[in-house]
Amino acid sequence: MNGAQRAAILLLTLGEQDAAEVLKHLSARDVQAVGTAMASLTNVTREQVELVLARLNEDMGRHTSLGVGTEEYIRKILVNALGENKAGGLIDRILLGRSSKGLESLKWMESRAIAEMISQEHPQIIALVLAHLEPDQAAEVIGYLPPRVRSDAVMRIATLDGVQPHALNELDEIMERQFSGNTKKLKSASVGGLKAAAAILNAMETTRENELMSAIRTHDSGLSGRIEELMFVFEDLGDLDDRSMQTLLREVPTARLVTALKGAEPGVREKIFANMSKRAADMLRDDLEVSGPVRLSEVDAAQKEVLGIARKLADSGAINLSGSGDELVA
């Protein structure tokens, strides 16, 4: 079971009212993922429920602390739960009283609608909006923006380094024109940057990703180089340490792995086979042989899905994407 399926089983065991209270605290993307998992669950066994509850009990035990209510405790549990990058903005809003009603409402909108709303705004405003979205949603929005805007938006995201109050006020005014609701004084926030730009590009379809990187390279070769250093592509999975690879493989559905490996380099395939049991590796090889031709777009989508799982695991500290994981000694 992946994370969404485990969450779905947990919510189904809680009952309607308690499950609804939990869902209120999830992001739009997480609600969609968990909701889809709940809708697709069939014949859940008692053993699966017990496994989920045991996992929850274990996780809760690790996070329990007498420091509840302190800033440091809040920071730690948010970083542990969401990863350093994703938790940063949330910590800002909780501890520094930042307003994000307008931006949060965007996360529930269709990507095409967001693109239509911001396409005529100043490029810096477009970059600020995109930097506040999840990478996969931002990548979709960029796809709907006019071609002349795309590379400029990504470059501006990469060079964002602390947003001044007047910029956030301007952004808030744009949101105010689209949504009703009160606003409050905004403080400066840390959004965007090279990592944000790299994450958005990683979430894009490969052809568009290459097109944008080429445009950025033409305008600023130094900036494109710094972005590329932070990008993680499917071939980089071959550099994972064994423990990280094994953790990743437990989270990736077999069908998606088969599709992703259709276009993989031999080194990546062998790395994956080496971190499976002999029986599992032989079954995967057989699946690859009998699966037949697959469209390149389907292979690319599957590889992006695997990379998305890898990045989420890395954000939570479960795996190390640098390939330099520490080995255990007796």
Side-chain angles (χ1 to χ4, degrees):
M1 291 183 292
N2 59 33
Q5 290 169 327
R6 290 196 299 270
I9 290 175
L10 175 62
L11 291 178
L12 289 172
T13 64
L14 292 178
E16 293 180 11
Q17 187 171 356
D18 289 335
E21 287 299 317
V22 173
L23 286 173
K24 288 178 182 179
H25 300 281
L26 299 182
S27 69
R29 291 283 168 163
D30 288 340
V31 170
Q32 183 177 354
V34 174
T36 300
M38 291 174 74
S40 62
L41 283 176
T42 56
N43 300 322
V44 178
T45 66
R46 178 180 294 276
E47 288 74 17
Q48 287 176 309
V49 174
E50 290 175 349
L51 177 64
V52 168
L53 294 177
R55 177 76 174 267
L56 175 65
N57 184 59
E58 180 183 341
D59 290 343
M60 292 294 289
R62 285 200 300 266
H63 294 156
T64 298
S65 169
L66 293 176
V68 174
T70 66
E71 276 198 19
E72 188 60 28
Y73 179 77
I74 294 172
R75 290 182 186 277
K76 284 182 178 179
I77 62 170
L78 288 176
V79 170
N80 287 339
L82 305 175
E84 189 76 40
N85 293 337
K86 189 175 179 180
L90 186 58
I91 290 171
D92 284 343
R93 292 196 294 272
I94 291 175
L95 299 183
L96 300 179
R98 291 173 171 83
S99 171
S100 60
K101 289 182 180 179
L103 291 171
E104 287 299 320
S105 61
L106 288 177
K107 295 180 180 181
W108 296 89
M109 292 178 60
E110 291 292 332
S111 299
R112 186 189 295 272
I114 298 174
E116 290 174 355
M117 186 192 342
I118 66 175
S119 61
Q120 301 303 315
E121 299 296 339
H122 188 280
Q124 194 71 3
I125 296 300
I126 294 175
L128 282 170
V129 171
L130 293 172
H132 276 83
L133 301 177
E134 293 297 319
D136 57 342
Q137 187 181 19
E140 290 178 5
V141 174
I142 289 175
Y144 291 115
L145 291 174
R148 60 180 175 77
V149 176
R150 295 171 186 166
S151 59
D152 184 38
V154 175
M155 286 191 291
R156 288 175 182 272
I157 291 170
T159 54
L160 282 174
D161 183 20
V163 183
Q164 297 303 313
H166 69 85
L168 281 179
N169 277 316
E170 186 176 355
L171 178 59
D172 194 64
E173 288 171 6
I174 294 171
M175 297 300 100
E176 202 172 6
R177 292 201 296 268
Q178 304 296 335
F179 307 104
S180 61
N182 297 323
T183 61
K184 61 182 181 178
K185 186 177 180 180
L186 296 170
K187 299 181 180 180
S188 62
S190 177
V191 297
L194 291 168
K195 287 185 177 180
I200 292 171
L201 287 164
N202 271 327
M204 288 182 180
E205 187 271 328
T206 301
T207 302
R208 179 164 290 142
E209 173 192 308
N210 292 337
E211 174 188 304
L212 281 176
M213 282 306 304
S214 177
I216 294 171
R217 197 175 296 114
T218 299
H219 284 87
D220 190 333
S221 59
L223 179 63
S224 70
R226 294 194 296 276
I227 293 175
E228 286 174 331
E229 287 176 1
L230 295 173
M231 292 181 68
F232 189 78
V233 297
F234 196 77
E235 285 69 28
D236 292 333
L237 292 176
D239 296 328
L240 290 183
D241 61 86
D242 290 342
R243 182 181 294 275
S244 293
M245 177 61 79
Q246 291 159 18
T247 301
L248 173 62
L249 292 176
R250 286 196 292 270
E251 298 293 330
V252 177
T254 301
R256 300 306 285 162
L257 182 61
V258 170
T259 303
L261 289 180
K262 278 290 187 177
E265 296 290 334
V268 178
R269 288 191 179 193
E270 292 307 316
K271 178 73 173 185
I272 289 173
F273 294 146
N275 281 279
M276 292 178 158
S277 67
K278 185 179 184 303
R279 180 172 176 273
D282 288 342
M283 290 178 63
L284 182 58
R285 287 190 180 95
D286 291 341
D287 288 341
L288 281 167
E289 289 179 7
V290 303
S291 60
V294 180
R295 288 194 180 112
L296 182 61
S297 60
E298 294 178 15
V299 174
D300 183 62
Q303 290 186 352
K304 294 289 186 184
E305 185 176 327
V306 174
L307 289 173
I309 294 171
R311 283 191 292 271
K312 287 181 179 178
L313 289 171
D315 286 344
S316 68
I319 69 173
N320 177 19
L321 293 184
S322 68
S324 58
D326 294 333
E327 297 295 332
L328 297 178
V329 295

